Amino acid sequence: MGTGLAAVFGILLAVATCVAASRLPKRYAWLPTTFVGVALAFLFFELARFDHGHEDVLFVLGLVVAPLGLILAASLWASRRFYGWPNLGPTPGHVAILCLAVLVGVLAGTNRKREDVAASKRTADAVREHVLAWRSSHDGRWPAQLEDAVGPMPVTSLGVLGPPSYEYLVTPAKARISFLASSSLRLVLDLETGTWREERP
């Protein structure tokens, strides 16, 4: 999904949420905004942990549009609340809540990503120990595939919605395990030396 398409979808979702809230009795008007807000917070929490190829969407909507939308919508809500003008009804309040949900999801996911990357690297380091043990018992040969030395290969810890897999590359000279930390960053573990490095895909 491109950034423009994601922005259009976000606008339509916000409009639909505000319309649904306006048509419900006042005591239930909070339900659509709360439901959609929780869904958006979870979605952007996951995207911040791993962007699944949507790094531009995460940046534009999560780090540019959401903060600006929150400031503008909250200002309109406060102006109506304290001065009575401009009176746009409850719409600015609903939009502010949705933007806040996106921003909270991005901030929480970005903070969690540090732990995810560290856990994924620890898993790769543990896999390396198994591979080295297999290599020492097979005349110094690297396994053709990781499953030969490890069994079922675990996935990374970068989220719960389709986290990236580890990739294993072996040549006569060296072998490595790597995983995508984001669309623009791959972390690579050299199995011979045990050192990590960064690559830009």
Side-chain angles (χ1 to χ4, degrees):
M1 179 184 293
T3 304
L5 184 59
V8 170
F9 176 77
I11 292 172
L12 293 176
L13 182 62
V15 170
T17 302
C18 293
V19 170
S22 67
R23 294 186 177 181
L24 290 173
K26 188 174 182 179
R27 60 179 176 175
Y28 299 122
W30 59 273
L31 286 173
T33 306
T34 301
F35 176 78
V36 174
V38 170
L40 286 173
F42 176 74
L43 174 62
F44 277 87
F45 176 71
E46 284 294 305
L47 278 178
R49 295 175 73 185
F50 181 67
D51 56 52
H52 295 278
H54 303 299
E55 195 170 32
D56 292 341
V57 172
L58 175 64
F59 176 77
V60 173
L61 297 187
L63 296 176
V64 177
V65 174
L68 293 177
L70 175 61
I71 292 170
L72 179 60
S75 299
L76 290 172
W77 174 86
S79 179
R80 172 179 177 266
R81 174 70 175 79
F82 295 108
Y83 301 106
W85 182 90
N87 188 357
L88 300 178
T91 298
H94 294 302
V95 173
I97 290 172
L98 296 180
C99 290
L100 179 62
V102 170
L103 191 57
V104 167
V106 171
L107 295 176
T110 301
N111 185 61
R112 175 63 182 271
K113 183 169 184 172
R114 300 186 190 95
E115 301 174 18
D116 293 339
V117 170
S120 299
K121 292 174 76 172
R122 287 194 298 269
T123 300
D125 287 329
V127 169
R128 173 178 176 263
E129 296 300 324
H130 288 285
V131 171
L132 292 179
W134 188 96
R135 184 190 186 201
S136 66
S137 62
H138 289 78
D139 302 321
R141 293 183 293 107
W142 294 109
Q145 54 188 7
L146 284 178
E147 288 75 7
D148 295 338
V150 183
M153 186 62 189
V155 295
T156 60
S157 302
L158 294 164
V160 297
L161 300 178
S165 302
Y166 293 99
E167 294 186 14
Y168 175 62
L169 177 64
V170 59
T171 67
K174 62 180 180 179
R176 73 180 204 173
I177 297 174
S178 67
F179 65 91
L180 285 172
S182 70
S183 299
S184 59
L185 178 64
R186 177 177 293 275
L187 299 179
V188 180
L189 172 63
D190 187 300
L191 294 183
E192 183 72 49
T193 62
T195 57
W196 286 94
R197 72 175 187 275
E198 298 180 355
E199 286 184 357
R200 299 290 173 178

